[in-house]
């Protein structure tokens, strides 16, 4: 099914159109732009989309596993473990993700590597890393947080489910952090306490508006 969608975009390119001209504007807005990316890659190489499956899957699979590794390293590094333990832990996370994440035997590192969803995961990791850095490092001014709405918008275009997943992750992180500032205030500088609590209030207002 995914290959067929790429084929439609490829056929449109071959006919001199950027995108399938037979669909409505709503159709164009609800189809992942990743299909166009795959089609453009195949078209620029002068081959059919079916001939790029192995190469594309290898590239996206490596991208996915490497970002999993670096994100795991970032998380483990905050626990002040030894460098060797951190490296082993990040490698173990990457390997277990490659083996297990997916549905039954269809792992994201293998079968799902050709699907649009895989492009969203590095953006999930990046969004979480940016928010964690803002909540944990006083010198962070918060300007990098402007990237989070951009990442969410891109994820929504790729696969809306991952955008919602990221919002859930970020909300949990902020709320847990805010609760910790009340029970363990001595370990949080005043600026970080204020950031966590203000962020939690924004999240709660957003949740209330969503529920209403």
């Amino acid at each position: 099914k995914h290959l067929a969608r790429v084929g439609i975009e490829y056929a449109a390119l071959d006919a001199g159109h950027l995108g399938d001209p037979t669909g409505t504007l709503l159709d164009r807005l609800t189809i992942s732009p990743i299909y166009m990316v795959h089609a453009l890659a195949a078209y620029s190489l002068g081959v059919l989309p079916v001939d790029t499956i192995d190469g594309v899957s290898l590239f996206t699979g490596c991208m996915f596993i490497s970002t999993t590794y670096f994100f795991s390293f970032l998380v483990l590094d905050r626990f002040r473990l030894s460098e060797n333990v951190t490296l082993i832990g990040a490698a173990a996370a990457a390997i277990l993700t490659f083996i297990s994440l997916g549905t039954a035997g269809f792992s994201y590192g293998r079968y799902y590597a050709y699907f649009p969803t895989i492009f969203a995961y590095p953006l999930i990791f990046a969004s979480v890393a940016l928010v964690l850095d803002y909540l944990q490092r006083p010198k962070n001014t918060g300007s990098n947080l402007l990237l989070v709405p951009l990442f969410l918008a891109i994820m929504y275009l790729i696969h809306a489910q991952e955008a919602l997943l990221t919002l859930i992750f970020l909300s949990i992180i902020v709320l847990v952090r805010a609760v910790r500032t009340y029970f363990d205030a001595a370990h949080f500088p005043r600026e970080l306490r204020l950031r966590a609590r203000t962020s939690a209030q924004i999240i709660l207002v957003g949740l209330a508006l969503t529920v209403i």
Side-chain angles (χ1 to χ4, degrees):
K1 183 178 179 180
H2 290 281
L3 180 60
R5 290 180 178 177
V6 176
I8 292 172
E9 301 293 344
Y10 184 90
L13 288 172
D14 205 33
H17 302 288
L18 186 62
D20 179 21
T22 62
T24 64
L25 178 60
L26 181 61
D27 291 334
R28 301 305 306 158
L29 292 175
T30 54
I31 294 177
S32 173
I34 299 302
Y35 299 123
M36 174 63 73
V37 173
H38 284 323
L40 283 170
Y43 190 78
S44 63
L45 293 172
V47 297
L48 294 174
V50 69
D51 298 322
T52 66
I53 291 178
D54 290 341
V56 167
S57 298
L58 178 62
F59 172 79
T60 55
C62 289
M63 174 190 70
F64 172 61
I65 296 302
S66 62
T67 52
T68 302
Y69 170 82
F70 287 116
F71 180 75
S72 301
F73 185 93
L74 175 68
V75 172
L76 291 172
D77 191 52
R78 297 177 186 274
F79 290 96
R80 304 184 186 281
L81 304 170
S82 69
E83 185 176 351
N84 287 337
V85 171
T86 303
L87 289 170
I88 293 171
I95 292 169
L96 290 172
T97 298
F98 175 76
I99 293 171
S100 65
L101 184 62
T103 306
F106 302 124
S107 137
Y108 267 95
R110 301 188 300 276
Y111 178 73
Y112 287 108
Y114 189 73
F115 291 13
T117 315
I118 201 167
F119 284 89
Y121 278 89
L123 299 178
I124 295 176
F125 293 143
S127 299
V128 172
L130 289 171
V131 171
L132 283 174
D133 192 60
Y134 174 70
L135 294 175
Q136 296 179 344
R137 193 162 61 90
K139 292 183 179 180
N140 187 327
T141 61
S143 58
N144 290 340
L145 291 180
L146 294 174
L147 291 171
V148 175
L150 175 62
F151 292 161
L152 287 170
I154 294 172
M155 280 185 273
Y156 182 80
L157 290 173
I158 293 174
H159 200 257
Q161 184 173 306
E162 273 59 50
L164 177 60
L165 177 65
T166 305
L167 286 173
I168 293 172
F169 280 164
L170 299 182
S171 298
I172 292 173
I173 289 170
V174 169
L175 292 174
V176 169
R177 185 78 173 180
V179 169
R180 285 184 61 200
T181 63
Y182 288 102
F183 289 94
D184 194 19
H187 289 84
F188 294 92
R190 182 178 179 278
E191 185 177 358
L192 293 185
R193 291 201 303 271
L194 182 62
R195 284 184 188 181
R197 293 171 185 177
T198 303
S199 299
Q201 290 168 3
I202 294 172
I203 292 293
L204 290 173
V205 169
L207 287 173
L209 293 174
T210 302
V211 171
I212 292 170

